[in-house]
């Protein structure tokens, strides 16, 4: 799969930043979907990348699906459009922390994209919401499933039924975002600072932690504990686990490698 010019991947040490820039509002078309799939696969498999930041432009993180792409209501077209859920699955499954740096608008499919990330950083004047109902649609690319897991089913249903748009402070109040900074120009630096901090930690452990929480959520406790047990035995075989324990005994900071 080819990475289009609308997606830029840059590196600063172990942190990779993915910038979506498709004027005027960063709407997603089929080319962008294919590009995001390629980037998620590439960064997920690159062990030298230990944290990922996904961002847009100052005006828009992502305004959702390009409506011209959606006008064809045939099942064939919407099977192609629903590959957006494959993008999110790829991001969610990355064995490393992924942070959404949300500046400007994150609406519809853009808001769904943030839900696939592990942490969300935004500004007070940015906007996140699920306005699909205004087009006679609902958030059908993961939103109906991930949003209730983040904010609870009753609140999620209200947000989707009313198509409400929330500013950063309102979104933080219900747990939809994790960090709010005063202005948009502070969002990306704050996200990169957080990503750098996480990249210095035991990222192999973080990857296992993500997997255990994702696979165990909603299962009976016995099944969840079984998943946890398998991951524990995988964890104790990692270099990071050995380094963390040894560093504690030697009373020194650990030097994690993500292995």
């Amino acid at each position: 799969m080819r990475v289009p010019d609308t997606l830029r991947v840059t590196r600063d040490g172990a942190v990779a930043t993915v910038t979506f820039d498709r004027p005027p509002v960063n709407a997603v078309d089929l080319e962008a979907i294919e590009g995001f799939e390629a980037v998620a696969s590439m960064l997920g498999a690159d062990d030298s990348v230990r944290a990922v930041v996904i961002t847009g432009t100052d005006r828009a993180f992502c305004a959702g699906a390009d409506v011209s792409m959606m006008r064809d209501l045939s099942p064939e077209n919407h099977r192609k459009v629903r590959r957006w859920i494959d993008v999110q699955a790829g991001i969610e499954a990355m064995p490393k922390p992924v942070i959404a740096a949300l500046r400007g608008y994150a609406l519809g499919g853009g808001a769904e994209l943030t839900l696939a990330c592990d942490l969300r950083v935004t500004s007070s004047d940015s906007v996140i919401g699920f306005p699909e109902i205004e087009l006679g649609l609902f958030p059908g690319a993961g939103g109906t499933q991930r949003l209730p897991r983040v904010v609870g089913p009753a609140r999620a249903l209200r947000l989707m039924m009313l198509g409400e748009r929330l500013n950063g402070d309102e979104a933080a109040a219900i747990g939809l975002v994790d960090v709010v900074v005063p202005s948009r120009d502070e969002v990306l630096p704050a996200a990169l600072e957080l990503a750098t901090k996480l990249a210095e930690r035991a990222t192999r452990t973080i990857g296992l932690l993500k997997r255990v929480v994702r696979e165990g959520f909603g299962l009976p406790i016995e099944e969840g504990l079984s998943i946890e047990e398998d991951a524990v035995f995988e964890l104790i075989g990692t270099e990071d686990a050995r380094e963390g324990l040894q560093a504690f005994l030697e009373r020194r900071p650990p030097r994690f490698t993500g292995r």
Side-chain angles (χ1 to χ4, degrees), residues 167-227:
N167 64 34
D169 296 312
E170 292 168 334
I174 63 171
L176 184 53
V177 300
D178 302 285
V179 178
V180 181
V181 294
S183 63
R184 295 183 190 183
D185 60 1
E186 297 175 77
V187 171
L188 188 54
L192 290 170
E193 181 181 358
L194 183 56
T196 300
K197 183 183 298 185
L198 288 169
E200 294 171 351
R201 297 195 173 185
T203 47
R204 178 72 184 278
T205 303
I206 290 174
L208 286 169
L209 176 63
K210 289 175 58 172
R211 192 180 80 195
V212 169
V213 170
R214 186 177 68 251
E215 293 180 358
F217 185 85
L219 293 179
I221 186 66
E222 295 82 3
E223 294 180 34
L225 289 173
S226 178
I227 292 171

Side-chain angles (χ1 to χ4, degrees), residues 76-190:
E76 293 77 18
N77 183 59
H78 276 260
R79 286 190 187 95
K80 297 176 184 176
V81 172
R82 270 187 64 78
R83 285 169 52 204
W84 193 232
I85 66 171
D86 298 328
V87 169
Q88 295 166 66
I91 290 170
E92 197 171 51
M94 279 193 199
K96 58 201 70 179
V98 182
I99 299 168
L102 191 173
R103 297 173 289 174
Y105 292 94
L107 300 174
E112 288 174 320
L113 180 63
T114 73
L115 296 176
C117 299
D118 303 309
L119 296 169
R120 289 161 286 279
V121 179
T122 191
S123 62
S124 295
D125 64 342
S126 291
V127 176
I128 184 169
F130 302 86
E132 287 92 338
I133 195 70
E134 296 169 5
L135 300 176
L137 306 172
F138 62 71
T144 65
Q145 302 306 303
R146 287 192 178 90
L147 185 59
R149 286 165 167 78
V150 174
V151 302
R155 183 173 280 131
L157 191 57
R158 187 194 78 205
L159 289 173
M160 291 185 287
M161 287 194 304
L162 295 177
E164 291 182 340
R165 294 165 171 81
L166 307 178
N167 64 34
D169 296 312
E170 292 168 334
I174 63 171
L176 184 53
V177 300
D178 302 285
V179 178
V180 181
V181 294
S183 63
R184 295 183 190 183
D185 60 1
E186 297 175 77
V187 171
L188 188 54

